[in-house]
């Protein structure tokens, strides 16, 4: 049997690996190999595979060294030959770096050691070889420091604590009266090395290793070990990177940017990562090594002249000052710059994407040390994809696949001003429930917010609540953002805020709200009504005071991207909207219909709630009908408003769904008001409210159960829905109403409702002497409905999967209480993700697939869609495409995201 290959060499235009092997060689190792293959100058070296990292973590240092010994020694020979020098040799030493690199880039998470191979004799050899003692000793002191920190564990455990080596440097600098590291002379550098070694001995009890191979093994194993350091584990958790992947280790011949004025090091991007502008840019430092550019020890200079001039304008530096003191690389090292520019273009063309690169210039010779696809903002992501398409680098499909749907969100909401954010103080964190930025004065009650808004339309408010309910809608509408102490990502506040495109931070547990005194205490800070507070709904951060925001701008490239998406997509994207305003927003984002219009909000404000409560109090059907007759004109007007905005589109309207209990006041003050306005006693109201109380309202008297016990409600709503459409028909506005029965579990539950709807429609059409086409269908949100879909489809004309309830009932998790155990479940990996955010394809998805197939087995053209929160989540949208749904429906601000995900699904499944 062939031994497993663990070490891959590269150098001098050849490589055993290549870009496609990133799983085995890590991103860095794979790209170093690839750069060799395409003729980009890279110092020779070798990469030890990610699989060895796993072996290391299982077997430990001793075994791994034994396994790798022959291969690594052979690979070092290979580098020695190419570099014409010897590892550990006193006269002609080869120095190497030992670098980490996982499959996915984890910037700064693991460790790198530079200048390995030095000791007290070798440093003299290096001095002799280069004729540059300062350089040799600078390299040596850096090596001892990095090795001490990373391999010998001298790095302080706490972020705030000072690095023991930095402390020594500070002391020496102070004694000599200098500010910068590069102002230290040879003698001082020697002093540093000596003191460093003493510190190592004192702290670890061992001498600093002098043997080159001993140093190398220590470093290799430390890099493997750093995969398991706390920082890396935390980062992986955040980014969803599995621990099994492991890191590769690359050992590579050193090249030196710190050999004098003809040497430099830098970082560059083939395009602007913040804006996407197609402009080569980056920073460099003369006579510096590795991390110096990002470490902020010296201020780096710009690589291009135009970048340098832009920088000077921002920094208030005059052109003469700039040109003489902060010249660009283009000006200071013009030949190297030309070469660098040509190679960055070559790399971008090769990888067909924006590149983020590291390079070093050693005495006039340019070397590349890393390239990768650069991270970028949402705006840059769209611009770069469209630019690459126009430039003929990628085709339309590839351009669409380059855009990460969720990242579009950044483009759609107001954002914090970057400079303002830097100065802001974080009070606490909650869940990033609805993205965007908001800032305003604290208000606790919906009616206060609505009143203030009526008086001053420009007043900016943040509504702060323990949790929200349908009562709070007007206040949420009036506010810039919503902050709640309880509730998860699918809490009322979160769902409604996302629908409104309003920023929301939910479940901020540190909030102590006192409604009586109208104050909120957050970790000792007490804020009152009227105080300013700012929310970042994208990160969940809550800031004290005013942090300025700005509106997003829509650029042509975004519009073009969305048109392109439509060209490839099959799945239609509708929206969940209850108001003309929301419907309008969604249409502008490209929604082609309403998939869910909830009607409960139409029973709330002003006169409507009064009539609704009258209905609830009524003793019999007659009384209820009388009260409902008062609501009818309001609902009809509401539907007309929505239809107008959605002219030409299908509009799915759901009949009343929530339990009646949500429409009555629960505090005595409200009950007294209700009693007064209805002319009955408080006791009577209390009795009625008590009678409506349910142990489990979400599994109680709601949905079609309501419509079947109070058929008058269904009849009234049918009349409003169809009556509105008939009136608009006279104006020449065509819509396609689809009446949707909520919470069906049994065929006959649906049939009963359908009968009422059709009878009322027939009556109305006769009265009006006119008719319109409409459909009657049902939500599929109870597992039993999914299981008996073939029966339900004998009557229903469409299915709409209500995946919030369906998830709730399939898992048996209350979505309002999941926050109490979800974090533990995620931690223990019992759940990979929150199933209320990302559709559970194995379970809930199976029901969806089954129901769609079942329904279509009796009605082949049965229209099927989804209207839960999942309709705007990319992986769930892709699933909906695969099971053959006709549409997804999502909140207005997620329409673009769903459209893009739908196009990607079509491309990926072709
Ligand atoms: P990270 O993944 O944190 O960026 P790197 O392995 O890229 O770590 O290395 C850190 C720094 O050291 C980078 O600036 C890199 O360019 C530099 N560096 C790494 N290896 C060498 C080398 N062989 N010669 C010169 N500089 C190097
Ligand atoms: Mg790097
Ligand atoms: Mg439901």
């Amino acid at each position: 049997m062939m031994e497993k290959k663990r070490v891959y060499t590269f150098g001098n235009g050849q490589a055993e690996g290549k870009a496609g092997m990133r799983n085995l060689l890590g991103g860095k190792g794979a790209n170093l190999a690839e750069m060799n293959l395409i003729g980009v100058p890279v110092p020779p070296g070798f990469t030890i595979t990610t699989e060895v990292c796993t072996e290391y973590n299982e077997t430990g240092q001793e075994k791994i060294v034994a396994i790798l010994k022959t291969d690594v020694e052979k690979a070092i020979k290979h580098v020695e030959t190419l570099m014409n020098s010897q590892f550990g040799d006193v006269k002609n030493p080869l120095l190497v770096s030992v670098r980490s690199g996982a499959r996915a880039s984890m910037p700064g998470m693991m460790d790198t050691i530079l200048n390995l191979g030095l000791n007290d004799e070798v440093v003299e050899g290096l001095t002799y070889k280069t004729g540059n003692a300062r350089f040799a000793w600078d390299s040596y002191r850096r090596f001892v420091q990095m090795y001490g920190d990373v391999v010998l564990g001298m790095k302080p455990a706490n972020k705030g604590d000072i690095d023991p080596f930095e402390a020594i440097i500070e002391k020496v600098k102070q004694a000599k009266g200098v500010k910068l590291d590069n102002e230290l002379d040879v003698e001082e550098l020697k002093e540093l090395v000596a003191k460093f070694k003493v510190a190592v001995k004192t702290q670890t009890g061992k001498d600093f290793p002098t043997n080159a191979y001993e140093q190398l093994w220590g470093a290799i194993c430390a890099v493997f070990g750093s995969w398991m350091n706390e920082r890396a584990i935390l980062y992986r958790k955040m980014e969803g990177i599995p621990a099994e992947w492991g890191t590769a280790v690359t050992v590579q011949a050193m090249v030196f940017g710190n050999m004098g004025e003809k040497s430099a090091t830098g970082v560059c991007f083939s395009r602007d990562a913040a804006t996407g502008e197609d402009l080569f840019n980056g920073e460099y430092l003369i006579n510096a090594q590795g991390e110096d550019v990002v470490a902020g020890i010296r201020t780096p200079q710009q690589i291009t002249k135009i970048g340098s001039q832009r920088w000077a304008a921002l920094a208030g530096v005059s052109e003469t000052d700039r040109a003489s003191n902060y010249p660009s690389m283009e000006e200071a090292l013009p030949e190297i710059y030309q070469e660098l520019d040509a190679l960055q273009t070559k790399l971008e063309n090769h990888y067909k994407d924006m590149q983020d690169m590291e390079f070093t210039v050693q005495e006039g010779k340019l070397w590349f040390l890393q390239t990768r696809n650069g991270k970028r903002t949402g705006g840059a992501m769209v611009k770069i994809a469209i630019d690459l398409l126009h430039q003929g680098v990628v085709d339309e499909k590839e351009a669409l696949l380059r855009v990460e749907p969720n990242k579009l969100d950044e483009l759609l909401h107001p954002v914090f001003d970057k400079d303002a954010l830097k100065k802001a103080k974080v009070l606490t964190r909650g869940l990033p429930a609805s993205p965007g930025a908001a800032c305003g004065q604290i208000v606790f009650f919906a009616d206060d917010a609505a009143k203030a808004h009526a008086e001053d339309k420009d007043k900016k408010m943040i509504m702060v609540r323990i949790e929200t309910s349908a009562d709070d809608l007007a206040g949420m509408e009036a506010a810039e953002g919503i902050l709640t102490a309880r509730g998860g990502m699918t809490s009322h506040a979160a769902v409604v805020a996302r629908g409104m495109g309003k920023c929301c931070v939910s479940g901020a547990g540190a909030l102590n709200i006192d409604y009586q005194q109208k104050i909120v205490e957050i970790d000792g800070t007490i804020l009152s009504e009227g105080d300013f507070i700012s929310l970042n709904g994208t990160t969940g951060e809550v800031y004290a005071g005013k942090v300025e925001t700005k509106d997003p701008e829509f650029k042509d490239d975004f519009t073009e991207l969305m048109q392109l998406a439509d060209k490839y997509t099959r799945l239609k994207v509708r929206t969940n909207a209850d108001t003309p305003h929301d419907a309008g927003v969604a249409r502008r984002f490209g929604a082609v219909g309403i998939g869910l219009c909830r009607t409960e909000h139409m029973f709330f404000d002003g006169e409507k709630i009064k009539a609704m409560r009258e209905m609830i109090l009524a003793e019999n059907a007659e009384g209820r009908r009388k009260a409902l007759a008062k609501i009818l004109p309001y609902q009809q007007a509401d539907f007309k408003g929505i239809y107008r905005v959605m002219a030409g589109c299908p509009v799915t309207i759901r009949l009343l769904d929530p339990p009646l209990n949500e429409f009555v006041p629960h505090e005595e003050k409200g009950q007294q008001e209700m009693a007064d306005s209805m002319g009955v006693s408080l006791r009577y109201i209390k009795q009625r409210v008590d009678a409506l109380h349910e142990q489990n309202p979400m599994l109680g008297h709601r949905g079609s159960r309501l419509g079947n016990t109070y058929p008058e409600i269904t009849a009234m709503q049918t009349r409003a829905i169809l009556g509105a459409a008939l009136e608009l028909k006279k104006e020449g506005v065509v819509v396609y109403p689809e009446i949707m029965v909520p919470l069906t579990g049994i065929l006959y539950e649906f049939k009963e409702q359908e009968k009422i709807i059709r009878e009322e429609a027939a009556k109305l059409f006769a009265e009006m002497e006119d008719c319109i086409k409409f459909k009657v269908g049902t939500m599929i949100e109870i597992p039993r409905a999914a299981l008996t879909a073939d029966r339900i489809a004998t009557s229903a004309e469409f299915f709409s999967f209500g995946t919030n309830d369906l998830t709730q009932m399939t898992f048996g998790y209350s979505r309002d209480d999941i926050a109490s155990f979800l974090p533990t479940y995620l931690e223990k990996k019992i759940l990979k993700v929150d199933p209320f955010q990302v559709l559970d394809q194995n379970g809930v998805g199976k029901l969806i697939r089954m129901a769609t197939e079942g329904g279509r087995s009796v009605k082949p053209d049965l229209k099927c869609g989804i209207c839960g929160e999942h309709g705007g989540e990319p992986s769930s949208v892709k699933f909906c495409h695969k099971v053959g749904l006709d549409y997804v429906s999502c909140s207005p601000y997620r329409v673009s995201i769903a459209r893009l995900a739908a196009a990607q699904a079509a491309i990926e499944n072709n």
Side-chain angles (χ1 to χ4, degrees):
M1 206 183 81
M2 248 235 332
E3 250 296 327
K4 170 155 81 178
K5 189 167 171 60
R6 293 188 173 84
V7 175
Y8 289 72
T9 59
F10 57 82
N12 204 21
Q14 284 173 346
E16 293 179 312
K18 58 179 183 216
M21 294 168 70
R22 70 178 312 138
N23 290 359
L24 197 61
L25 303 180
K28 200 180 282 167
N31 284 338
L32 284 169
E34 186 81 2
M35 284 197 282
N36 267 286
L37 298 176
I38 64 169
V40 174
V42 169
F46 57 91
T47 301
I48 310 172
T49 66
T50 53
E51 291 173 355
V52 181
C53 181
T54 311
E55 286 181 281
Y56 169 83
N57 284 317
E58 281 161 8
T59 65
Q61 176 145 357
E62 223 170 285
K63 284 227 174 91
I64 279 301
V65 173
I67 292 173
L68 287 176
K69 197 164 186 295
T70 328
D71 291 347
V72 166
E73 283 173 1
K74 235 168 82 189
I76 287 278
K77 281 261 143 32
H78 159 85
V79 181
E80 287 176 341
T81 312
L82 290 177
M83 293 302 285
N84 195 23
S85 55
Q86 263 87 50
F87 189 52
D89 192 83
V90 180
K91 289 222 180 68
N92 181 21
L94 165 70
L95 303 188
V96 297
S97 66
V98 178
R99 319 173 63 186
S100 61
R103 255 190 234 191
S105 107
M106 295 169 60
M109 283 306 127
M110 288 169 302
D111 300 307
T112 293
I113 297 132
L114 303 181
N115 311 331
L116 187 138
L118 281 167
N119 59 30
D120 290 351
E121 283 96 53
V122 174
V123 71
E124 295 301 346
L126 191 63
T127 306
Y128 177 76
K129 183 177 167 182
T130 59
N132 187 340
R134 197 190 175 279
F135 152 74
W137 282 93
D138 183 44
S139 302
Y140 191 19
R141 73 96 189 156
R142 285 170 189 265
F143 168 57
V144 177
Q145 182 172 359
M146 278 190 242
Y147 199 91
D149 274 339
V150 175
V151 185
L152 305 177
M154 308 250 309
K155 199 188 305 193
N158 298 318
K159 249 215 240 141
D161 297 352
I162 185 156
D163 179 288
F165 301 110
E166 287 299 332
I168 296 171
I169 296 176
E170 269 323 298
K171 266 206 197 129
V172 172
K173 280 201 292 198
Q174 253 170 28
K176 309 293 161 183
V178 298
K179 275 207 181 121
L180 300 174
D181 294 7
N182 63 351
E183 289 169 322
L184 296 171
D185 64 22
V186 177
E187 287 316 309
E188 285 146 13
L189 291 168
K190 284 185 178 170
E191 183 185 336
L192 282 184
V193 171
K195 289 192 163 151
F196 283 179
K197 288 203 287 191
V198 171
V200 166
K201 179 83 194 216
T202 329
Q203 199 171 323
T204 68
K206 286 191 209 124
D207 287 316
F208 191 86
T210 53
N211 177 280
Y213 268 105
E214 189 188 338
Q215 292 174 354
L216 181 63
W217 290 119
I220 289 172
C221 292
V223 172
F224 279 143
S226 71
W227 178 252
M228 286 307 200
N229 76 29
E230 238 169 88
R231 250 184 323 164
I233 292 173
L234 203 73
Y235 184 86
R236 286 202 293 273
K237 211 190 242 167
M238 262 163 44
E239 301 283 307
I241 297 173
E244 306 85 78
W245 283 5
T247 180
V249 173
T250 292
V251 178
Q252 191 176 20
M254 282 303 302
V255 289
F256 301 98
N258 55 337
M259 277 180 97
E261 298 306 303
K262 281 220 163 66
S263 300
T265 186
V267 174
C268 57
F269 299 86
S270 62
R271 293 174 194 241
D272 192 313
T275 64
E277 190 183 3
D278 186 5
L279 194 68
F280 176 45
N281 67 95
E283 293 177 333
Y284 80 112
L285 271 176
I286 297 228
N287 198 7
Q289 190 175 39
E291 310 283 63
D292 291 1
V293 175
V294 276
I297 303 166
R298 280 193 273 156
T299 310
Q301 286 154 236
Q302 296 296 312
I303 287 178
T304 63
K305 187 169 171 189
I306 183 169
S308 178
Q309 284 168 336
R310 284 184 186 182
W311 165 83
L314 284 175
V317 171
S318 75
E319 176 57 19
T320 29
D321 190 9
R322 183 200 71 77
S324 56
N325 293 321
Y326 312 97
S328 65
M329 187 171 176
E330 189 172 356
E331 296 155 292
L333 301 168
E335 280 128 55
I336 305 271
Y337 171 79
Q338 290 306 330
E339 198 189 340
L340 181 69
D341 190 18
L343 287 170
Q344 67 89 13
T345 308
K346 179 176 189 159
L347 281 171
E348 189 187 272
N349 288 340
H350 183 71
Y351 286 100
K352 300 185 193 303
D353 200 356
M354 187 255 275
Q355 294 300 295
D356 165 354
M357 297 153 286
E358 291 171 4
F359 65 90
T360 284
V361 180
Q362 176 177 330
E363 301 199 296
K365 163 99 181 94
L366 174 65
W367 298 94
F368 272 67
L369 288 159
Q370 192 169 338
T371 192
R372 61 183 162 208
N373 294 342
K375 294 213 191 303
R376 62 205 77 175
T377 64
M381 170 188 73
V382 173
K383 177 160 173 53
I384 290 172
I386 293 296
D387 283 354
L388 287 173
L389 171 68
H390 290 172
Q391 291 160 356
V393 181
V394 299
D395 63 12
E396 292 181 346
K397 290 181 183 176
E398 184 57 33
L400 282 167
L401 293 175
R402 283 296 170 82
V403 179
E404 195 186 313
N406 271 331
K407 249 181 118 59
L408 287 180
D409 225 17
E410 287 176 31
L411 305 179
L412 308 173
H413 299 273
V415 288
F416 277 125
D417 188 76
K418 278 208 186 68
D419 297 327
L421 203 56
K422 275 189 205 135
K423 292 176 219 136
K425 175 179 171 235
V426 177
L427 275 179
T428 185
R429 276 188 183 78
L431 297 171
S434 180
C439 147
Q441 289 170 274
I442 294 177
V443 57
F444 293 98
F445 295 97
D447 44 356
D448 292 344
K451 213 163 87 205
H453 185 69
E455 280 161 17
D456 175 8
K457 289 255 172 291
D458 295 327
K459 179 160 181 173
K460 300 210 183 310
M461 291 169 286
I462 302 289
M463 191 155 162
V464 179
R465 302 280 310 163
I466 296 174
E467 57 197 347
T468 64
S469 71
D471 285 334
D472 298 316
L473 214 69
M476 295 170 76
E477 192 92 81
E480 297 299 302
I482 298 110
L483 171 63
T484 67
R486 285 201 215 128
M489 297 288 288
T490 51
S491 61
H492 178 271
V495 174
V496 174
R498 282 200 290 274
M500 292 174 171
K502 226 158 246 191
C503 160
C504 173
V505 173
S506 67
L511 261 59
N512 274 316
I513 300 174
D514 184 336
Y515 285 137
Q516 247 92 49
Q517 297 197 53
K518 296 194 178 179
I519 54 171
V520 53
E521 182 263 336
I522 307 172
D523 282 340
T525 307
I526 294 182
L527 299 170
S528 311
E529 187 177 58
D531 288 347
F532 275 93
I533 193 169
S534 302
L535 308 179
N536 187 340
T538 315
T539 60
E541 274 153 353
V542 180
Y543 297 93
K546 262 193 231 183
V547 185
E548 293 303 324
T549 63
K550 53 179 208 238
D551 261 344
E553 299 156 26
F554 286 115
K555 308 247 173 67
D556 292 346
D557 45 48
F558 177 75
T559 313
E560 190 177 342
L561 180 81
M562 294 323 295
Q563 282 165 354
L564 206 57
D566 287 344
K567 185 169 164 185
Y568 290 94
T569 195
R570 177 189 64 70
L571 198 63
K572 299 257 184 307
V573 177
R574 297 194 191 181
T575 191
N576 298 352
D578 313 342
T579 64
H581 173 265
D582 289 357
V585 170
R587 246 201 130 158
R588 279 195 294 284
F589 282 130
V592 295
I594 289 183
L596 174 64
C597 173
R598 302 179 183 90
T599 53
E600 41 269 32
H601 297 147
M602 298 176 184
F603 289 90
F604 263 98
D605 29 282
E607 287 301 303
K608 304 180 210 174
I609 186 69
K610 228 175 118 189
M612 182 65 177
R613 287 171 176 175
E614 242 175 83
M615 187 213 75
I616 294 171
L617 290 191
E619 305 277 349
N620 52 35
E622 196 41 50
R624 283 196 290 273
R625 263 197 287 276
K626 252 170 71 190
L628 285 165
K630 293 185 195 165
I631 305 176
L632 176 68
Y634 292 114
Q635 288 223 337
Q636 191 148 324
D638 284 339
F639 290 134
K640 274 168 81 174
I642 290 171
Y643 289 162
R644 271 210 182 86
V645 179
M646 297 309 291
C649 298
V651 176
T652 305
I653 296 165
R654 180 176 73 185
L655 299 175
L656 189 65
D657 183 36
L660 294 181
N661 164 56
E662 289 191 10
F663 297 90
V664 291
H666 294 273
E667 304 108 54
E668 183 153 324
K669 183 168 163 261
Q671 291 177 344
Q672 185 65 58
E673 277 170 21
M674 180 172 165
D676 293 345
S677 86
M678 310 243 140
V680 294
S681 71
L682 176 63
R683 222 179 111 222
Y684 181 66
I685 299 285
K686 279 204 164 126
Q687 262 173 14
R688 288 297 297 155
V689 172
D690 283 349
L692 288 173
H693 175 79
E694 292 178 304
Q695 290 298 349
N696 250 323
M698 282 302 108
L699 298 176
H701 193 180
R702 55 174 287 224
S704 61
R705 299 159 202 169
L706 204 57
N708 278 324
T709 43
Y710 300 117
E712 315 67 63
I713 303 177
T714 302
M716 183 279 284
Q717 289 203 292
T718 302
R719 190 164 267 269
I721 293 165
L722 299 178
L726 279 173
E727 282 186 21
L728 283 187
K729 185 181 171 191
K730 288 196 203 116
E731 297 174 23
V733 178
V734 184
V735 283
Y736 306 96
E738 301 176 339
I739 301 177
M740 180 155 77
V741 176
L743 219 73
T744 296
I746 306 168
L747 169 64
Y748 296 102
E749 239 172 356
F750 176 78
K751 279 194 155 186
E752 277 295 316
Q753 287 290 286
E754 190 195 7
K755 199 170 107 212
I756 297 159
I757 294 165
R758 297 217 184 269
E759 276 172 13
E760 191 66 26
K763 255 202 306 201
L764 178 71
F765 292 166
E767 285 165 30
M768 305 273 294
E769 295 179 345
D770 196 0
C771 65
I772 47 154
K773 273 212 180 103
F774 67 99
K775 283 196 163 95
V776 186
T778 182
M779 301 275 289
I780 301 287
E781 54 188 336
I782 291 184
R784 192 183 190 283
L787 294 167
T788 59
D790 53 344
R791 290 169 57 80
I792 293 174
T794 55
S795 286
E797 290 176 298
F798 65 86
F799 283 175
S800 177
F801 293 97
T803 48
N804 296 347
D805 268 311
L806 191 58
T807 300
Q808 176 159 270
M809 289 189 242
T810 303
F811 277 92
Y813 295 161
S814 154
R815 62 196 247 227
D816 298 310
D817 302 314
I818 190 172
S820 56
F821 60 88
L822 182 66
T824 312
Y825 267 42
L826 293 175
E827 178 105 9
K828 295 197 160 163
K829 300 210 174 115
I830 295 172
L831 285 173
K832 278 218 181 82
V833 287
D834 178 353
F836 289 103
Q837 281 183 54
V838 179
L839 186 77
D840 160 47
Q841 298 185 10
N842 291 337
V844 179
K846 197 167 187 176
L847 284 173
I848 293 176
R849 187 190 292 271
M850 198 171 149
T852 306
E853 285 167 8
R856 287 185 180 156
S857 71
V858 296
K859 213 171 254 171
D861 58 351
L862 183 77
K863 201 193 263 188
C864 296
I866 172 179
C867 65
E869 280 296 295
H870 305 98
E873 191 282 316
S875 70
S876 312
V877 171
K878 291 182 179 182
F879 175 80
C880 292
H881 171 95
K882 271 196 266 179
V883 294
L885 297 195
D886 297 291
Y887 68 86
V888 296
S889 188
C890 59
S891 54
Y893 283 89
R894 293 201 76 83
V895 167
S896 310
I897 294 165
R899 283 168 71 196
L900 182 68
Q904 292 183 344
I907 293 168
E908 285 161 0
N909 289 291
N910 238 325

